Amino acid sequence: MAVEERGAVSVVRIENGPVNVLGLDTLRELAATLDGLTEAPAVVLTGAGRAFSAGVDLKLLLDGGESYTREFLLALGGVFRTVFEHPRPLVAAVNGHAIAGGCVIAAGCDYRFMSAGTIGVAELLVGVPFPATALEAIRFVAGPRTAALVLTGRTLKPSDALAVGLVDEVVEPDALLDAALARAEAFAAIPAASFTMTKAALRADARRLMAADDIDGVIEVWNSAPVRAAISGYLERLARR
């Protein structure tokens, strides 16, 4: 995880391989980084290289077995809540693919710019269940379109993502970071207590629903034989492309 200070804004870059997949170590590092910025004037979250985040490292999940899966899912839910509940302005600069967990992280931010790639929640295409914590983050931005996005697993180009609310603005790649920084600076200019109180009120209902997530049930299903077989089959199909 790289952190760069740009004036009043802390720019956090997700870094893990060519497409910034989410493994246990990456999740823990991201959570710790954001926890260390709870008093920052504002934060921009983006990805290193050509992707924002392509989601869960499924191979590592299969190789790690049931105990790793449990630890991973607890950490994943923790990151989703850390992003969604962060007290300071958090702006996403989606520089490339934001798939599954990557999409949920972007959705948890206060404002989202996108310049390239595709975005969407492909969990059901992989064969894994969609936990309530992730669902509420998507519902918060996509509203009534959430069911179609989740059930089809469709990934969207920037203009289509804008139309359904997954992103707030589409910009050219060269303008992405500057646009995100300008929005973050505008948020940072609002008195901190006013922004934080308003953000908490806006997200209160979603946070209550997230708190009711049956994480033990989710872990059990992810570790079940049919789901692990589905993940394996999905990876085999990807390898043949």
Side-chain angles (χ1 to χ4, degrees), residues 19-240:
V19 291
N20 302 318
V21 290
L22 302 173
L24 183 56
D25 290 343
T26 303
L27 291 173
R28 287 173 171 167
E29 188 177 356
L30 178 57
T33 299
L34 293 176
D35 283 342
L37 294 170
T38 55
E39 295 185 4
V43 178
V44 167
L45 182 60
T46 190
R50 59 187 176 88
F52 183 80
S53 172
V56 174
D57 188 335
L58 294 171
K59 185 177 186 304
L60 193 59
L61 196 78
L62 286 182
D63 292 344
E66 292 187 6
S67 61
Y68 177 88
T69 298
R70 181 176 186 83
E71 284 189 77
F72 175 83
L73 290 175
L74 290 171
L76 183 65
V79 163
F80 291 160
R81 289 189 299 276
T82 294
V83 172
F84 196 80
E85 298 174 5
H86 199 277
R88 302 304 301 131
L90 191 54
V91 176
V94 182
N95 56 306
H97 296 311
I99 309 300
C103 176
V104 176
I105 289 171
C109 295
D110 298 302
Y111 205 88
R112 291 156 302 284
F113 293 90
M114 187 174 183
S115 63
T118 58
I119 186 170
V121 281
E123 279 82 351
L124 288 186
L125 297 184
V126 179
V128 300
F130 205 83
T133 300
L135 178 64
E136 295 310 323
I138 299 299
R139 198 198 312 269
F140 185 76
V141 296
R145 298 180 175 90
T146 300
L149 291 170
V150 171
L151 294 176
T152 65
R154 188 164 65 108
T155 53
L156 307 174
K157 294 180 179 179
S159 59
D160 296 323
L162 178 65
V164 302
L166 281 179
V167 299
D168 297 295
E169 293 189 43
V170 175
V171 297
E172 292 298 320
D174 290 346
L176 177 66
L177 187 57
D178 285 344
L181 286 168
R183 171 46 55 193
E185 288 167 355
F187 284 153
I190 299 169
S194 298
F195 186 93
T196 298
M197 183 177 290
T198 303
K199 178 174 179 173
L202 284 169
R203 294 170 180 244
D205 288 343
R207 290 176 65 176
R208 281 193 290 271
L209 290 168
M210 287 178 176
D213 200 354
D214 178 17
I215 188 60
D216 287 333
V218 170
I219 292 169
E220 181 179 356
V221 175
W222 273 68
N223 272 327
S224 67
V227 169
R228 295 187 74 81
I231 296 171
S232 180
Y234 179 81
L235 289 174
E236 288 173 3
R237 292 192 298 276
L238 284 181
R240 290 197 295 267

